[in-house]
Amino acid sequence: MTKIAKTALNLKQFMLRQEVLKLYREIFRTIRLVPDKSNQRELRDWARHDFRLHSEQSDELAIKMMLQYGRRSLTELQTSLDLSGLSDKKVAPAKTKNSKETRSKN
């Protein structure tokens, strides 16, 4: 059985892919903090569906926009968990590049 070789990613694509994978892992770590198992399942299904739906996306701008949407959704979930008192503070809030840049300038 032969495998078709995938084309190599350039540095930008590789870095963007790493950001997507990091967000994916962070979303699933946060979902584990949701106490209700049915809500956990629903959130996992939603996240998997969204990532699979857009897995073939190759446009850099579109991927960056989806990353922002994902980070915003993650932050909302983390905030909801924090406000409900159910968060164990095991997962740090999602950080954006802009927040890092503003801290380094100060």
Side-chain angles (χ1 to χ4, degrees), residues 12 16 57-65:
K12 263 188 173 178
L16 204 53
Q57 183 62 258
S58 60
D59 179 33
E60 185 180 336
L61 183 61
I63 294 170
K64 286 181 179 181
M65 289 174 55

Side-chain angles (χ1 to χ4, degrees), residues 32-52:
R32 277 190 250 140
L33 300 176
V34 174
D36 184 37
K37 296 298 179 190
S38 65
N39 285 343
Q40 266 187 17
R41 196 174 321 109
E42 184 179 333
L43 288 168
R44 268 195 318 265
D45 291 345
W46 163 77
R48 283 187 183 129
H49 176 265
D50 255 17
F51 277 88
R52 285 183 183 144

Side-chain angles (χ1 to χ4, degrees), residues 19-92:
E19 281 187 64
V20 171
L21 293 173
K22 180 182 175 186
L23 177 63
Y24 185 84
R25 287 189 296 266
E26 204 171 340
I27 287 171
F28 277 84
R29 283 186 197 115
T30 304
I31 288 173
R32 277 190 250 140
L33 300 176
V34 174
D36 184 37
K37 296 298 179 190
S38 65
N39 285 343
Q40 266 187 17
R41 196 174 321 109
E42 184 179 333
L43 288 168
R44 268 195 318 265
D45 291 345
W46 163 77
R48 283 187 183 129
H49 176 265
D50 255 17
F51 277 88
R52 285 183 183 144
L53 181 66
H54 301 292
S55 65
E56 297 299 318
Q57 183 62 258
S58 60
D59 179 33
E60 185 180 336
L61 183 61
I63 294 170
K64 286 181 179 181
M65 289 174 55
M66 287 183 272
L67 275 169
Q68 283 188 337
Y69 169 74
R71 287 185 193 116
R72 191 171 37 247
S73 298
L74 174 61
T75 303
E76 287 176 15
L77 177 59
Q78 289 170 335
T79 302
S80 296
L81 287 170
D82 288 344
L83 290 175
S84 66
L86 299 173
S87 174
D88 295 340
K89 302 283 183 189
K90 292 179 185 174
V91 178

